[in-house]
Amino acid sequence: MKMKKSTFTSAVILFFMLVCSTLYAQEKQTKLQDSTLKDSIYNANKKKVYNFSLKEFDQLFFEFSDKKANPDHILTKMKFYTYTIKIAAFSDRLAILYPDQKEVANANKIKWFAENYEDYLLSKASHK
């Protein structure tokens, strides 16, 4: 009886470890895909965003805020990251225009690059 219980316990532990490692691998793959997507959006929009006026930036920022806050509207991953990465890219422009604010601009860029689509979806689900 002890032998069967020990074998069962070992099997459960092994199963648990396999599930955890699979979930970890999937999460790591998703983060890599998101990082690649963010980089491509940044590279595609960097020059365009550098030429934004403050009015254009404000329009982008408030459009994103409105869409993000709208409980009846869910942004696609591409659209979500396009907004967040464009906002991040504008921080580069601010760092150039205001060298004394470079650290703040870089911190903002890092913050916007760190935005996560899955967190956005979770926040949408929690508001319903």
Side-chain angles (χ1 to χ4, degrees):
M1 183 75 163
K2 276 194 171 215
M3 183 67 134
K4 287 182 181 181
K5 189 175 182 181
S6 175
T7 304
F8 177 74
T9 304
S10 297
V12 168
I13 291 171
L14 179 63
F15 176 75
F16 180 73
M17 289 173 54
L18 287 172
V19 168
C20 287
S21 66
T22 302
L23 291 175
Y24 176 74
Q26 287 174 343
E27 182 180 329
K28 194 172 181 180
Q29 180 69 20
T30 300
K31 286 183 180 184
L32 179 62
Q33 289 171 344
D34 285 1
S35 179
T36 303
L37 178 60
K38 289 175 184 181
D39 288 341
S40 69
I41 292 170
Y42 178 78
N43 291 329
N45 289 283
K46 171 172 59 171
K47 288 181 182 175
K48 178 182 172 184
V49 173
Y50 278 7
N51 292 318
F52 273 11
S53 67
L54 193 53
K55 182 179 179 180
E56 290 171 307
F57 173 76
D58 285 347
Q59 181 180 359
L60 172 76
F61 184 82
F62 290 118
E63 182 180 314
F64 174 63
S65 295
D66 289 345
K67 287 184 178 185
K68 188 176 175 183
N70 183 345
D72 300 324
H73 184 76
I74 297 177
L75 296 167
T76 64
K77 182 183 269 193
M78 182 69 166
K79 199 70 167 161
F80 177 82
Y81 284 139
T82 299
Y83 279 115
T84 59
I85 299 307
K86 281 183 174 182
I87 293 168
F90 194 75
S91 295
D92 287 338
R93 179 170 188 250
L94 294 176
I96 294 167
L97 290 174
Y98 306 102
D100 59 323
Q101 296 295 314
K102 191 173 187 170
E103 287 180 31
V104 173
N106 285 334
N108 282 333
K109 180 180 177 181
I110 290 167
K111 174 194 170 285
W112 284 102
F113 252 92
E115 287 286 316
N116 185 294
Y117 186 69
E118 285 73 23
D119 292 343
Y120 162 72
L121 290 177
L122 288 173
S123 74
K124 284 290 193 176
S126 69
H127 289 295
K128 286 191 175 190

